[in-house]
Structure formats: structure tokens, C-alpha cells
Amino acid sequence: HRPRRLLHKASGGEGALDAAIWLYQFCLIVLGDSTVGKSCLLHHFAEGRFPGPAKTDPTVGVDFYSCLVEIEPGKRIKLLFWDTAGQKRFRSITRSYYRHSVGGLLVFDITNRSSFDHVRDWLEEAKMHADPFQLVFNLVGHKCDLESQRQVSREEAEELASACGMRYIETSAKDATNVEESFTVLTTDIYELVKNGEITAQDGWEGVKTEYVPDAVHTLERAYSPGEHCPC
Amino acid sequence: MSQKDNKSLEEDTCALDENDQKAEDTGPTETDDVEAEPAAMTRKRPESKTSEPSAMQEALDQKVQESSSIKQSQTGWGYWGNWGKNLLSTASATVATVGHGISNVIEKAETSLGIPSPSELSSEAKNVTEECQNSAIASDCKGDPENPSPSITGAFGMFSTISTAVQNTGKTVISGSLDALEFIGKKTMDVIAEGDPGFKKTKGLMNRNSTLSQILREAKEKEEQRTATEVSMATETKAHYGLLFDEFQGLAHLEALEMLSRESELKVKSVIGTLSGAELDALKAELEQLKEAFSLAEFCDDEEDEKEEGEDFTREIKGLFSQLRVSTKPDKLTQARSSACELAHSLSMQTAKEERPKEVDQQVGFGDAEQEEKKSVEDIHASAIRSLAELTAYSIEVFHKTAALVLHGQEQEVLATDRAKALSQMTIVLCKELSFLSKGFATCLTAAGVEEKGDVLNPLITGVFLEASNSASYIQDAFQLLLPVLQLSHIQAQAELTQ
């Protein structure tokens, strides 16, 4: 089974109803220099489309997205994203969100050398503020549709990624290359860590949450179908 | 029927009698063709229970233990501290305070759809048993031989017994639940009469310890929990405001705004702590002046200006926003409002068509709206609630962004008091708009539901008004969170001046 994003922005309230059912909830942060395309990438993933040709304003402070991913048939994970501003002046705001993340995407622009050079700084900052678990990051080389303007080679980026224990993936929100993959791969990795108990939900930590009391379901079934046995 | 079931049924039925008694105490009620269930369709604004006596506290604690996620969220955001008290005590925004008995009814109906906490039930049951002993009506219902559905216990016990009791004991019990409806109806009347849902000056968030987002989050999680356990039959959940508000990221923005507000408040306090004498007095006076801009007092009895419509809102909001001089635009907000208006308009067109079938042909002839299928009143209700949630969420997003830019933007040439005035005006415009929209939707519902029974239609209409009223309160509460932010920016601007 290939993990896939579930679009739930249906009209009416069914979407919201539907979105309330999940096995795990992960909070993910998206980091990187200003203008590397974090918001576009996220917008594309969560809303299913590129925000449009109009030049978007830089993110103010932090933005929020959420969506559902079906990781295995019938097993859904709700993803909450902190879309952070790349601009330095908002750093004090964005810093607050490291702690409540389980992982994230570290994005740079393959046509912008300095955004790549800052990757280690971002990692360093994330490391400093992560608690109780170190964040699981994927390195994303964004805007790979602009091959002719490339300033960072794939090899170079892969080297850095493996040195820092990350996967590397190249994406383009514009022509929808690897957008979904970049998120589902990360989600799958975190899901495995959670399943193996390497990351666990903790009180006072938003990063990972587990589903709602399954007991209630049984109580409900008993209440509704007396004498009938639960098939599972 | 087991002994135990029987007992709990009796107790639950008596719970209604308790309210029934109250209803009789407060005088006669007018309508009697309404049942208990509709109370569950509408939603009382979620309130923090922290100020309740210890029994409630226990119940709350237990709830927290029961659901690890709720606990997480509380302590999780508690990471940023427990600060709500001071700040919220300045909040002027409110909910109608609900009589105790009435809120119990609504709450019970609500929680019984989900999972009532055991301690809540048992303490309720205890009260009720005492009540039963003095109650003649109670013995009536005890002796009722036709008390059915012994099998329905557990999660749905309460709910089922409410309806059972309604069937069995007839008018007396019904008037008990009418207590709740009477409140809602009264509230609705107030809303209609005033046209300004959120602006009644009553005690709302004032004495609370938790933040608004915590309250809303709890309500949302309660709803999620409920949803997760009863997907198949939760029809009224279709339009749950809290879930929709969260879907539009309203909760996330509210939490972010609270965080900025709290940080600012701390900084303002620490600055005040370093000052003394004349400097301190001067600053205090200035901050007080800012605070006045947040009182919204002049709005309370505003003239009825029903006329404004169309582009006014967009123009007004944009104008006010430009006064703030922050580098963000309220486009999402104005778009959400436009689509809400379009929706209300197209719904009223649809219902108009139904009323005059002759016009339908003409309309279709114009190629107007590809023969939309007829929308049920539930659908209209769902879209209305969705629109309200969307508009509220985006309003709060605008406030959050404004706070971030006021604190970290580069534009400081605007006086904090001017920003405060613009923001306060914006709050008023937003709340008026919510009121205006809710009336529009209510009109659609009334028109579409001419053939519906009152007990189907009325809860939907009151639901729209209640959520509009709640929305307005949330916006006003969020507005209040901007006060420390502007205070801090004022202090920063002063500091820059003196340098």
C-alpha cells in the first residue's frame, strides 16, 4: 500500500467529521530560509494545488495546515503543520514550535546557494529546542523544476543529508514533483518510530498523539446491540 | 430488565423531574410540542468548569484522566503557562450566563451522546435520588410500567432515557426540557431583538483560569471523541462548529495569538517593574488610555443599521486594515465573507424558487445555477454553521497576524492607540457582520422549512443564532488578547523615541 493524502475539504461538515477519525496525530514543522517555497510546498500538499501564479506574501510568524494521510489501508494519520516564517525577525515566534513537533521538512531552494548553506544552522537550532525527542527531518531540495538555474547539485545535497541522518528528496510545488512523497515518506518514517516505541506520545507534548479511547467504541456497541457479539 | 438498569433508568428519569420542578418554579412555559432531543442539536458555548465547586472539579479531573489527549493538550499548552486569569478578566466579551439547571439539561443531553464521566453520572444520580424522595411526580415515573429499552445502558443510557421519559410521562417531563429550549428561545429573541449577538455585557470568561483556546480545544476534542465513537449515527455532528472552526485553523491561530499575548503581557509587566515614580505613573496612564480603546463600550446600543450590505464590509475592513499599517492583507477574511454572503443569497434564491414554481422556468431559462438539487434544512444549517466557523477562524487569523506584525514588523510609525481604535472598530464590524449573516441564514431556513415541523426547524435556527453569538464572543475575546501586544508595542515605540 502506498501512503496517500486524503482530501477532506468537502463541502458541508462531513469533512470535519471525517477528519476527526485518526490513529495518530503528528505535529510537523517546516523550516528553511525565506522564499525557498515552504508555504507553496505545504499548500500544495494540504490543499492539493499550487497557490497560483500570484506572488504570495511572505509568511507572517507561523501558519497552520492540517491534513489526513492514509498510511496503511484504514489507518489514518492526521498531520498538523507549523509553517514557519523564514524571515529572521519572526525567529522568536517560530522557535516556540520546535518543541511541539515530532519532525519536519527542512527546505532549501536548489537555485539559491545560501539557503543550502544555512541547512546546518537550521538543524542546529532545531536540535537546541527539541524536547523530549530529537526531530525527524527530511531534507528537501525545492524548485527542482528550475533545473537550469540550479546552484546546488543533487550529490552535494545527498551527502549533507546522509551526514546529518536525513533523507533527501527533490521537489517542485509548481509542477507537483514529489510533493506528496516528501510528506508521506516523512510520515511513514515517523510512524515506524512510533510503532517501534522509539517515539511515544507524552503528556505535555503535542508532537505525537494517539487515537481516542477504543474502549468507548466497545461500550457503545454493547449498548446498542445487546446480545450481539462484536465481530472483531 | 436487570435490577441495575432499572435503577439507573429511574434515576435518569428523575433527573428530568428535577428540571421539571425547576421549570414549574420558574413559571409556565408556552410551547409544548417540543421534545428533549433538540436541545442536543444546539450547542451551548463551551465553558471552562474550573470555577465550579469541587464536585465538578472532580468530574473534570476524571475526564482529563480518561482521555490522555485532552490531558496532553491542557498541559501541553500549559507549557506556555497559565496566564489566562489576568488577561481574561479584562475581557468584555461574553456568553449569556446560563441558569444552572438549564445548563445541566443541555450539557447532559450533550454528554449523553458521548461518554458521560462516571463521577458526573453518579453525583448527578445522588442528587436526583434525594430529589426523588420528595417528588410526587417522580413516583409517577417510577411506577410507570411501560419503561422500555432496558438494554440501553452505558454510553447512551442518559440520552435514551431522556427520550423514553418524554414518551412515557408526557407533558410534565416535556416542560422540564422546555426549560432548556426556553432559554435558547429567549436567547434567540434577545439576539433578534438586539441584532448584536455577542455584545451583551454579562459575565463570560471573566472568572476563568483557562484560556479561550483551551476551552474551545476541550470542546472540540470532546466532539472528536464523540465523533470517533459514533460516526454512523451522528447526523447532527455534521455541522459541529468546533470541528469546523478547527478545520479552518481557527484554534491554531487563537493559540498562537494567546501565546503572543501572554509573552507581551509578561514583558509589559517586567518593564513596569523596572520603573518607579513619575515615569511609572506616566506609563500607567498611557497604558490605561490604550485599554480604554479596548472597552467597545460605545457599541453597546448602536443604532439599527440594517441597510448596509454588499461591498461595504470589504471596503470597511480593508480601510481599517490599512490604518493598522501592517504588511498583511485580510483577503482570506473578505473572501470568506463574500462567499458566505453568496451562499446565503443563493440559498434564499433557491427557496424563493420553490415558493413560486412559475419563476423556476424563467430562472432556468436564464441559465441560472445549474438546477441545484433541493437543499434540506439540515444542509442549509450545515452550510450556515460552516460559514460562521470559517469567518470566525479567519477573523482570529487576522488578529494573530496583526499581533505578530505589531510585535515583529518593521512598521512602527502608527501610534498604538490608533491601531487599537482601528482594531476595535474592526471587531465591531466583524460582529455586526456575523449577526447580519446569521439573520440571512435564519431567513433561508425559515423559508426552506415552511413544511417542516417546528421541532425540526427551530433547533436549527436557534443553532445558527447561538453559533453566531458564540462566534462574536470568540472574536471579541481574541480582540482583547491584542491589548498586551499593543501595550508592548507602545512601550517599544516610546523606548525608540527616547533613544
Side-chain angles (χ1 to χ4, degrees):
Chain A
H1 175 82
R2 198 173 135 264
R4 62 192 179 92
R5 181 198 66 233
L6 301 170
L7 278 176
H8 63 272
K9 304 277 176 197
S11 62
E14 293 89 344
L17 178 75
D18 207 41
I21 303 154
W22 37 261
L23 184 64
Y24 291 110
Q25 177 178 286
F26 298 159
C27 285
L28 304 174
I29 193 165
V30 181
L31 295 175
D33 277 10
S34 189
T35 73
V36 297
K38 299 180 289 299
S39 300
C40 284
L41 189 65
L42 205 40
H43 191 280
H44 198 303
F45 179 65
E47 312 278 332
R49 59 185 174 83
F50 192 63
K55 194 177 163 291
T56 48
D57 289 330
T59 303
V60 171
V62 60
D63 258 324
F64 310 95
Y65 291 90
S66 64
C67 70
L68 279 174
V69 165
E70 194 172 66
I71 200 88
E72 285 168 22
K75 287 190 177 172
R76 304 145 137 232
I77 294 182
K78 182 164 187 179
L79 302 179
L80 298 182
F81 294 103
W82 319 129
D83 177 22
T84 63
Q87 290 175 336
K88 264 215 169 68
R89 57 182 174 141
F90 294 118
R91 207 55 52 86
S92 71
I93 294 180
T94 55
R95 236 174 243 143
S96 320
Y97 291 88
Y98 291 109
R99 205 193 99 83
H100 287 292
S101 312
V102 60
L105 296 183
L106 215 170
V107 188
F108 71 91
D109 175 358
I110 63 154
T111 71
N112 175 347
R113 181 79 214 177
S114 73
S115 73
F116 177 70
D117 295 337
H118 292 149
V119 164
R120 278 185 186 273
D121 301 339
W122 285 110
L123 270 181
E124 209 45 53
E125 179 159 284
K127 209 169 260 176
M128 262 166 56
H129 295 92
D131 173 52
F133 301 99
Q134 281 304 322
L135 276 69
V136 181
F137 275 115
N138 275 2
L139 185 62
V140 175
H142 195 42
K143 306 191 188 175
C144 71
D145 56 305
L146 302 173
E147 190 59 45
S148 60
Q149 298 165 46
R150 182 188 278 273
Q151 290 183 2
V152 181
S153 75
R154 179 184 274 273
E155 294 70 35
E156 207 178 352
E158 272 170 352
E159 207 172 293
L160 174 70
S162 70
C164 301
M166 296 184 285
R167 289 178 192 269
Y168 178 63
I169 191 163
E170 292 200 340
T171 60
S172 163
K174 200 162 191 180
D175 58 17
T177 311
N178 284 340
V179 173
E180 201 163 324
E181 287 76 3
S182 61
F183 289 96
T184 51
V185 164
L186 176 69
T187 309
T188 313
D189 286 350
I190 296 172
Y191 175 63
E192 290 300 323
L193 289 170
V194 171
K195 231 170 42 176
N196 300 336
E198 287 175 54
I199 295 176
T200 48
Q202 310 223 332
D203 287 353
W205 183 55
E206 297 280 303
V208 174
K209 287 186 181 189
T210 49
E211 69 173 334
Y212 285 114
V213 232
D215 276 5
V217 180
H218 296 303
T219 323
L220 194 81
E221 275 160 3
R222 250 185 287 128
Y224 253 75
S225 48
E228 274 178 38
H229 290 289
C230 177
C232 48
Chain B
M1 185 186 285
S2 80
Q3 196 70 35
K4 197 177 152 217
D5 290 343
N6 209 348
K7 192 168 176 250
S8 80
L9 274 172
E10 281 169 20
E11 283 166 358
D12 291 343
T13 338
C14 295
L16 278 158
D17 288 329
E18 183 190 10
N19 295 305
D20 184 28
Q21 293 274 295
K22 279 178 192 155
E24 283 172 359
D25 290 344
T26 53
T29 46
E30 305 106 282
T31 1
D32 37 348
D33 57 343
V34 199
E35 292 187 2
E37 287 94 322
M41 302 277 289
T42 51
R43 185 183 64 98
K44 182 169 68 76
R45 176 181 176 161
E47 290 188 54
S48 150
K49 291 176 188 118
T50 42
S51 58
E52 295 281 342
S54 58
M56 284 304 278
Q57 186 59 50
E58 263 173 42
L60 193 68
D61 289 347
Q62 189 133 357
K63 262 186 201 157
V64 168
Q65 276 162 16
E66 275 167 14
S67 158
S68 62
S69 356
I70 289 178
K71 189 174 182 185
Q72 269 174 24
S73 100
Q74 283 183 333
T75 45
W77 294 99
Y79 166 67
W80 283 309
N82 184 11
W83 56 277
K85 199 194 275 176
N86 295 332
L87 229 175
L88 287 175
S89 66
T90 64
S92 64
T94 49
V95 220
T97 16
V98 181
H100 215 73
I102 298 165
S103 69
N104 269 346
V105 172
I106 300 178
E107 214 150 71
K108 240 187 251 165
E110 276 186 341
T111 48
S112 57
L113 286 171
I115 310 118
S117 103
S119 69
E120 231 175 19
L121 283 178
S122 62
S123 74
E124 208 70 70
K126 205 179 141 206
N127 293 339
V128 163
T129 341
E130 285 161 16
E131 195 77 15
C132 278
Q133 283 160 359
N134 324 330
S135 167
I137 307 159
S139 58
D140 271 351
C141 76
K142 261 185 204 165
D144 196 326
E146 288 183 6
N147 237 352
S149 23
S151 56
I152 302 172
T153 53
F156 277 80
M158 185 73 85
F159 182 63
S160 323
T161 38
I162 288 174
S163 42
T164 309
V166 170
Q167 289 158 12
N168 288 343
T169 51
K171 205 177 161 189
T172 41
V173 176
I174 288 169
S175 66
S177 53
L178 267 178
D179 217 358
L181 277 173
E182 195 186 33
F183 152 68
I184 293 164
K186 196 160 163 277
K187 173 72 181 158
T188 310
M189 288 311 289
D190 291 346
V191 169
I192 297 166
E194 289 188 3
D196 308 321
F199 281 96
K200 283 177 73 183
K201 296 260 171 199
T202 43
K203 281 173 255 158
L205 289 169
M206 289 184 175
N207 305 318
R208 306 235 181 87
N209 278 320
S210 38
T211 62
L212 176 60
S213 69
Q214 271 173 347
I215 298 163
L216 285 169
R217 178 169 290 279
E218 264 172 47
K220 186 207 84 174
E221 285 179 352
K222 206 170 100 190
E223 188 63 21
E224 270 185 345
Q225 194 166 2
R226 205 184 94 183
T227 307
T229 54
E230 44 175 299
V231 205
S232 51
M233 45 84 68
T235 46
E236 76 270 36
T237 321
K238 246 173 103 176
H240 189 268
Y241 181 92
L243 292 180
L244 291 164
F245 180 69
D246 185 49
E247 195 187 312
F248 292 113
Q249 306 300 339
L251 208 43
H253 283 287
L254 183 58
E255 279 164 349
L257 173 60
E258 282 172 347
M259 190 179 78
L260 293 176
S261 180
R262 182 198 145 256
E263 284 172 356
S264 305
E265 198 192 17
L266 288 177
K267 282 182 191 162
V268 170
K269 272 189 185 152
S270 77
V271 170
I272 289 176
T274 62
L275 297 178
S276 60
E279 262 186 330
L280 180 63
D281 293 340
L283 180 63
K284 274 194 169 167
E286 286 161 13
L287 296 185
E288 196 55 39
Q289 210 185 336
L290 257 179
K291 202 173 167 183
E292 274 165 28
F294 278 75
S295 66
L296 291 175
E298 76 273 25
F299 179 63
C300 285
D301 290 306
D302 216 343
E303 76 283 3
E304 287 259 322
D305 38 5
E306 293 284 307
K307 58 201 178 281
E308 50 183 282
E309 230 179 302
E311 292 310 294
D312 280 3
F313 174 83
T314 311
R315 210 184 321 124
E316 217 169 329
I317 286 289
K318 282 194 171 153
L320 289 167
F321 217 77
S322 68
Q323 288 175 32
L324 291 176
R325 304 254 187 119
V326 290
S327 62
T328 180
K329 293 184 207 83
D331 292 347
K332 253 166 118 178
L333 178 61
T334 51
Q335 277 160 18
R337 182 266 178 188
S338 305
S339 53
C341 283
E342 272 164 35
L343 180 70
H345 182 70
S346 72
L347 288 174
S348 67
M349 290 295 286
Q350 180 211 322
T351 49
K353 274 188 226 168
E354 278 159 26
E355 275 169 29
R356 290 169 299 229
K358 274 182 189 172
E359 279 181 32
V360 175
D361 304 327
Q362 291 175 355
Q363 297 274 6
V364 172
F366 282 117
D368 176 59
E370 64 285 353
Q371 191 74 37
E372 285 175 39
E373 66 211 76
K374 190 193 168 192
K375 286 225 166 103
S376 70
V377 281
E378 282 83 9
D379 289 339
I380 297 176
H381 173 258
S383 335
I385 299 294
R386 190 181 179 81
S387 293
L388 294 174
E390 184 179 23
L391 202 60
T392 311
Y394 292 163
S395 303
I396 286 170
E397 177 174 344
V398 160
F399 284 160
H400 163 223
K401 297 290 167 180
T402 304
L405 284 168
V406 164
L407 290 173
H408 302 283
Q410 287 131 343
E411 318 84 351
Q412 288 292 348
E413 73 270 32
V414 188
L415 287 177
T417 41
D418 291 340
R419 279 184 170 150
K421 280 175 197 157
L423 284 165
S424 130
Q425 194 57 36
M426 203 184 294
T427 307
I428 292 168
V429 172
L430 287 169
C431 292
K432 275 188 182 171
E433 194 58 30
L434 284 166
S435 155
F436 175 76
L437 271 176
S438 65
K439 278 183 223 164
F441 284 124
T443 314
C444 294
L445 277 172
T446 318
V450 273
E451 284 157 29
E452 302 280 351
K453 279 186 196 151
D455 58 352
V456 176
L457 190 60
N458 293 343
L460 296 178
I461 293 177
T462 42
V464 169
F465 280 125
L466 262 186
E467 294 306 0
S469 163
N470 287 339
S471 296
S473 317
Y474 300 150
I475 289 176
Q476 289 166 77
D477 291 341
F479 165 64
Q480 293 299 329
L481 292 172
L482 289 165
L483 174 59
V485 172
L486 286 174
Q487 285 181 332
L488 181 62
S489 89
H490 173 78
I491 291 172
Q492 284 170 345
Q494 294 291 96
E496 269 169 40
L497 267 178
T498 50
Q499 267 168 20

